[in-house]
Amino acid sequence: MIYTVTVNPALDYVLQLEKVNRGEVNRTNNDAFLAGGKGINVSQILNQLSVDNTAWGFVGGFTGKELVRQLNQKRIESDFVTISDNTRVNVKIHAEKETEINAAGPNITDQEITAFKDRLNDLKKGDIVVMSGSLTPSLPTDFYQSLLPTIKEAGAEFVVDTTGQALLDTLEYKPLVIKPNHHELADLFGVTFDSSDVMLEYAQKLLDMGAQNVMVSMAGEGGFLLTKDHVYHAKGAVGTAVNSVGAGDSMIAGFVGTYYKTQDPKEGFRIGMACGAATAFTKDIAVKSQIDAVLPQIKVEQIS
Ligand SMILES: Nc1ncnc2c1ncn2[C@@H]1O[C@H](COP(=O)(O)OP(=O)(O)O)[C@@H](O)[C@H]1O
Ligand SMILES: O=P(O)(O)OC[C@H]1O[C@](O)(COP(=O)(O)O)[C@@H](O)[C@@H]1O
């Protein structure tokens, strides 16, 4: 089983209007509440790839109920811990420019945290736990890291989609894959890259520090996969990018879902690249037909 973890999911309140006049009453043309959160995006793609998965995390209040209702409607299996505070609402203003206001998130009690940690007792060898998205203010900053010993003891694999020191702190536990984009990779080491070769030297350092596989994504410019044996490259798919939201989550989901089925990181990279592009080419998270349409474009070449 694959478990996605979204500790701070959201209802995204998407407001569409021509223009925002600050200090005045503005009226929308369209509005909708949509279930959001990075782990939930991963679950959506896994469903499209027909990979069984369960969404874990915390939900509460009337907003939490609506979020779970929407997931049920999309047939996304979930087993959230119910909290007494409300799941947050993130405001996404789509006017001349896109403005996002992401709320900090609900209060989570120690008892609720314990109930979440108890979920980890269900883990079995071969399971994969994918953790993505921000923490709520009441969770300690090392929350993800604190789960890793239990996950590894169960013989399960994990992925934490994070950046900076929080990412480096996961490496000693040997994540199945990490996926910095090329800017995040440069920031991790405080450098700039003047060639792909230099970039690959830094990606190799992350393998040496413990990552089992490293994908470096470069939006439309393609990406690289480093495994313990080989380095692979794939060019970016050609298409019209309409929305970058969730492209990274989709790439991770494509890799993890495929690896779970095939144990083949190269094939995971191919499907991951297609899922990322398919999501970039659509307004929402991609569906299977959109992923299938992009897939023939993705050619993975072994470069060493
Ligand atoms: N404009 C684009 N054209 C083609 N593929 C894209 C585009 N943007 C994103 N992708 C796909 O999505 C993946 C992740 O996108 P990227 O922007 O690099 O990640 P992140 O969202 O994590 O920064 C890329 O490796 C690529 O496969
Ligand atoms: O957990 P965070 O970082 O606050 O982000 C939550 C937001 O992430 C999303 O899942 C997608 O965000 P991105 O634009 O960063 O891909 C939104 O639906 C949600 O509001």
Side-chain angles (χ1 to χ4, degrees):
M1 174 64 82
I2 298 181
Y3 297 92
T4 64
V5 176
T6 315
V7 291
N8 199 8
L11 274 186
D12 290 341
Y13 190 28
V14 184
L15 302 171
Q16 281 175 332
L17 64 171
E18 313 286 286
K19 190 169 183 301
V20 176
N21 296 309
R22 291 170 66 184
E24 292 180 25
V25 173
N26 295 273
R27 294 191 192 277
T28 61
N29 298 329
N30 235 314
D31 54 87
F33 283 104
L34 303 174
K38 296 188 168 67
I40 287 172
N41 293 344
V42 172
S43 274
Q44 292 205 45
I45 291 283
L46 290 173
N47 264 21
Q48 295 302 316
L49 299 176
S50 303
V51 179
D52 282 347
N53 70 95
T54 302
W56 275 347
F58 301 93
V59 291
F62 68 106
T63 43
K65 280 206 180 91
E66 171 59 14
L67 188 135
V68 172
R69 188 193 69 78
Q70 290 194 17
L71 297 192
N72 288 343
Q73 208 173 38
K74 291 186 172 181
R75 297 185 194 289
I76 295 175
E77 194 76 37
S78 64
D79 185 18
F80 290 102
V81 171
T82 304
I83 57 173
S84 54
D85 206 352
N86 292 325
T87 290
R88 66 185 168 152
V89 173
N90 287 344
V91 180
K92 314 280 170 172
I93 303 170
H94 294 181
E96 316 104 306
K97 283 187 189 166
E98 293 197 356
T99 306
E100 303 192 18
I101 304 173
N102 285 6
N107 181 50
I108 299 178
T109 64
D110 289 348
Q111 221 177 1
E112 290 160 355
I113 293 175
T114 305
F116 177 83
K117 290 190 171 171
D118 285 348
R119 296 281 195 280
L120 301 183
N121 298 331
D122 294 348
L123 288 173
K124 290 191 286 298
K125 192 171 177 342
D127 288 343
I128 306 179
V129 184
V130 184
M131 293 162 265
S132 330
S134 68
L135 299 173
T136 72
S138 51
L139 290 173
T141 51
D142 66 348
F143 180 74
Y144 288 142
Q145 207 191 339
S146 74
L147 308 178
L148 303 183
T150 315
I151 294 172
K152 292 304 282 195
E153 272 160 32
E157 300 282 4
F158 77 90
V159 179
V160 183
D161 185 14
T162 183
T163 54
Q165 190 58 43
L167 177 63
L168 294 176
D169 289 343
T170 67
L171 296 179
E172 64 176 293
Y173 296 96
K174 307 204 179 313
L176 173 62
V177 67
I178 58 173
K179 191 214 71 62
N181 64 38
H182 55 313
H183 302 297
E184 290 163 348
L185 178 60
D187 289 349
L188 269 180
F189 294 100
V191 293
T192 49
F193 301 134
D194 50 17
S195 71
S196 304
D197 285 347
V198 176
M199 188 180 78
L200 289 174
E201 278 171 28
Y202 280 93
Q204 178 64 45
K205 286 182 199 287
L206 296 173
L207 272 189
D208 299 340
M209 289 162 81
Q212 296 180 50
N213 299 284
V214 178
M215 292 193 290
V216 183
S217 67
M218 300 181 299
E221 305 299 307
F224 290 91
L225 167 71
L226 290 84
T227 69
K228 67 178 176 14
D229 301 317
H230 297 294
V231 179
Y232 301 94
H233 174 253
K235 287 189 185 144
V238 178
T240 309
V242 292
N243 160 41
S244 66
V245 174
D249 306 335
S250 300
M251 186 173 182
I252 287 175
F255 180 94
V256 170
T258 306
Y259 184 89
Y260 184 74
K261 288 199 279 196
T262 64
Q263 310 288 299
D264 179 356
K266 180 184 169 199
E267 182 62 0
F269 176 54
R270 187 174 80 93
I271 306 292
M273 288 290 293
C275 292
T279 289
F281 297 161
T282 178
K283 273 175 102 175
D284 201 348
I285 302 296
V287 295
K288 180 152 195 318
S289 57
Q290 291 162 327
I291 299 167
D292 289 345
V294 172
L295 201 49
Q297 281 199 52
I298 310 291
K299 307 276 183 243
V300 177
E301 170 203 11
Q302 184 182 319
I303 56 175
S304 72

